[in-house]
Amino acid sequence: QVQLVESGGNLVQPGGSLRLSCAASGSSFSIYAMAWYRQAPGKQREYVASITSGGSTRYADSVKGRFTISRDNAKNTVYLKMNDMKPEDTAVYYCNKFPSFVAWGQGTQVTVSP
């Protein structure tokens, strides 16, 4: 069973950058596609970006050109580099397998505010 721990969230000003990390337990990490999701207050959780085991990536239109998903299979870790951040990026960010989920981690809070 894969377990997930997200980290790297913080308060950042508009236009700023952050890098989130997601550490996954389990020996089969490298074969899974992984994704980042986010949930803003009062809204449903939404897809942000995904990466296949081979490194192919996809992005939601709202983050395309600003966010970059990557992975390091040797470290069982997925990253989300966020640039040119906007107040609407404020949310709790989660990672998970894609497209089928395992138990969600605790997430990491990202707040974009002056």
Side-chain angles (χ1 to χ4, degrees):
Q1 180 75 352
V2 176
Q3 293 184 315
L4 306 163
V5 178
E6 301 91 347
S7 62
N10 211 332
L11 171 65
V12 63
Q13 293 186 340
S17 299
L18 276 179
R19 190 180 79 157
L20 306 182
S21 299
C22 168
S25 66
S27 59
S28 301
F29 171 81
S30 63
I31 69 172
Y32 301 136
M34 298 292 294
W36 283 95
Y37 302 84
R38 66 187 182 187
Q39 187 167 19
K43 295 187 177 181
Q44 289 190 331
R45 192 171 293 169
E46 65 175 3
Y47 167 90
V48 174
S50 57
I51 186 167
T52 67
S53 58
S56 296
T57 58
R58 287 176 55 195
Y59 298 92
D61 287 344
S62 58
V63 307
K64 200 172 295 182
R66 300 188 297 120
F67 291 11
T68 302
I69 188 172
S70 60
R71 66 191 298 161
D72 185 338
N73 289 336
K75 296 182 178 180
N76 277 16
T77 301
V78 180
Y79 303 99
L80 186 68
K81 181 66 188 303
M82 304 183 290
N83 295 325
D84 188 25
M85 297 183 71
K86 304 176 180 181
E88 51 264 42
D89 296 323
T90 296
V92 179
Y93 283 71
Y94 303 87
C95 68
N96 212 314
K97 287 176 59 184
F98 181 82
S100 57
F101 303 147
V102 295
W104 293 92
Q106 83 288 350
T108 187
Q109 175 69 50
V110 172
T111 302
V112 185
S113 179

